[in-house]
Amino acid sequence: MAARHFLTLNDLSSDELESLLDHGTKLRSEWRRGIVRETLKNRVLAMIFEKSSTRTRVSFEAGMTQLGGAALFLSPRDTQLGRGEPVEDSAIVISSMVDAVMIRTFAHKTVEQFAAASRAPVINALTDDFHPCQLLADMQTYREHRGSIRGGTVAWIGDGNNMCQSYINAATQFGFNLRVACPEGYEPDSKLLDAHKDKVSVVRDPEDAARGADLLVTDVWASMGQEDEQKAREKTFRDYQINPGLMNLANRDALFMHCLPAHRGEEISADMMDHPRSVVWDEAENRLHAQKALLEFLILNRLD
Ligand code: CP
Ligand code: NVA
């Protein structure tokens, strides 16, 4: 049987995603009670990182260890990938020795090429276009705090980047309305917007997006790989900040999320991380639990 991959949220059905979140919550509660679970004993995850990471690396590595397996950290500095060995050749070789491969890279095409040649499941751990693992954690966190988000409204404030584009996929998969507030020229991909136009709208004014929303989300103004644009983006995005004033326009029980790392004073005011409706620390922790559920699903083809 061909391996299932997780390159975007569209690789799983809506029902599979919902079950995966339930399973993530169960794993979280078991782990907190100290229950030992060794479903991935002797299994190995290869982790290819072409960009920096704190949460993604720690959660995948700790997750594999907690499930009885192991994870290998592979950086382009130390592997032949960094010296030009073709992605497909690397995929054939690496996937012949491990049970799953996780990749964080620049071009989304790279994970697609790797997956096409890989015998083992491939997980997208962030590309320039998508960050689906973060959405698993975000959706699990929302459910744990507020129940299902189906029929609700999410406001995305800021750049139409990889996180925003994963929220667009999530809008369809999890059945919520998404309002994206971004400056002109920083919209998400137009084809993606078009494919999800019944669920997603783009506005200019952050207040129009936030009013009556159930969840406010943002991310850095300049993503990894856009460091040269930082100064220019600080000017363009000046009005695209989530702060307590903007939160007050949202529903009374609205939550605030940020995938982190955060830049206080830019996309969020300094007081947002610890705002009473901020769930950023649970959101970060849930990377661990949601991805353990994902690893079991992809490697063992089960969620129980
Ligand atoms: N949110 C997230 O993916 O964080 P890292 O870049 O630290 O992995
Ligand atoms: N949009 C950010 C997300 C980091 C987790 C980036 O790509 O750098």
Side-chain angles (χ1 to χ4, degrees):
M1 200 172 74
R4 296 276 304 264
H5 304 298
F6 186 61
L7 307 188
T8 73
L9 288 175
N10 302 329
D11 286 328
L12 269 63
S13 71
S14 194
D15 285 348
E16 284 173 334
L17 287 169
E18 301 272 3
S19 308
L20 199 140
L21 301 190
D22 285 342
H23 192 53
T25 296
K26 179 182 144 192
L27 294 184
R28 177 180 192 250
S29 131
E30 282 185 6
W31 179 74
R32 290 199 165 185
R33 283 182 282 140
I35 295 173
V36 176
R37 187 179 174 92
E38 294 196 309
T39 45
L40 297 183
K41 198 166 167 37
N42 297 326
R43 306 293 186 129
V44 179
L45 171 72
M47 307 190 299
I48 301 172
F49 279 98
E50 299 193 327
K51 286 175 172 170
S52 305
S53 168
T54 296
R55 280 144 287 269
T56 304
R57 179 175 177 184
V58 174
S59 54
F60 271 112
E61 195 162 333
M64 280 303 292
T65 305
Q66 288 164 13
L67 293 173
L72 304 173
F73 176 78
L74 305 171
S75 93
R77 250 197 305 270
D78 318 304
T79 57
Q80 300 290 3
L81 258 173
R83 295 180 61 249
E85 183 168 12
V87 171
E88 288 82 356
D89 295 0
S90 306
I92 293 169
V93 173
I94 295 171
S95 72
S96 72
M97 302 181 195
V98 302
D99 299 278
V101 182
M102 183 237 84
I103 309 178
R104 169 169 284 200
T105 189
F106 293 86
H108 190 71
K109 202 161 180 37
T110 305
V111 293
E112 291 177 339
Q113 283 170 337
F114 197 104
S118 174
R119 204 156 94 173
V122 174
I123 298 169
N124 173 7
L126 183 144
T127 62
D128 290 345
D129 294 347
F130 297 103
H131 193 6
C133 290
Q134 183 68 51
L135 261 290
L136 295 181
D138 288 21
M139 294 296 102
Q140 183 179 326
T141 306
Y142 189 89
R143 282 163 67 118
E144 287 170 357
H145 283 267
R146 294 285 186 267
S148 173
I149 199 164
R150 201 159 285 278
T153 298
V154 177
W156 174 270
I157 313 295
D159 191 19
N161 63 12
N162 44 11
M163 273 299 299
C164 177
Q165 299 203 143
S166 283
Y167 261 94
I168 293 177
N169 284 335
T172 298
Q173 291 289 54
F174 292 98
F176 57 80
N177 298 306
L178 176 66
R179 297 189 205 130
V180 176
C182 65
E184 216 173 319
Y186 293 88
E187 295 84 4
D189 179 70
S190 57
K191 281 202 206 82
L192 187 69
L193 278 175
D194 204 44
H196 297 269
K197 60 175 183 284
D198 54 328
K199 286 273 172 247
V200 185
S201 58
V202 175
V203 297
R204 294 292 162 226
D205 187 343
E207 296 193 355
D208 290 340
R211 212 166 279 119
D214 302 295
L215 170 63
L216 264 62
V217 199
T218 190
D219 186 12
V220 290
W221 290 337
S223 286
M224 288 183 274
Q226 298 173 331
E227 287 77 8
D228 294 352
E229 298 174 35
Q230 175 67 30
K231 282 283 157 248
R233 282 172 173 258
E234 281 175 23
K235 282 204 190 97
T236 311
F237 283 89
R238 204 173 32 212
D239 298 328
Y240 291 82
Q241 182 187 77
I242 298 188
N243 49 44
L246 199 69
M247 276 308 287
N248 283 341
L249 298 177
N251 277 342
R252 252 204 347 234
D253 59 355
L255 297 177
F256 162 67
M257 291 191 196
H258 188 313
C259 63
L260 309 182
H263 290 187
R264 293 169 175 83
E266 294 180 25
E267 77 278 0
I268 57 160
S269 57
D271 46 3
M272 269 322 290
M273 298 284 275
D274 299 307
H275 185 278
R277 285 185 276 153
S278 163
V279 290
V280 295
W281 308 122
D282 285 345
E283 181 190 2
E285 183 190 315
N286 273 338
R287 292 293 303 278
L288 173 69
H289 310 300
Q291 288 161 197
K292 281 163 82 172
L294 176 68
L295 288 163
E296 287 194 354
F297 176 73
L298 293 177
I299 296 174
L300 305 174
N301 192 26
R302 64 171 231 227
L303 286 171
D304 54 25

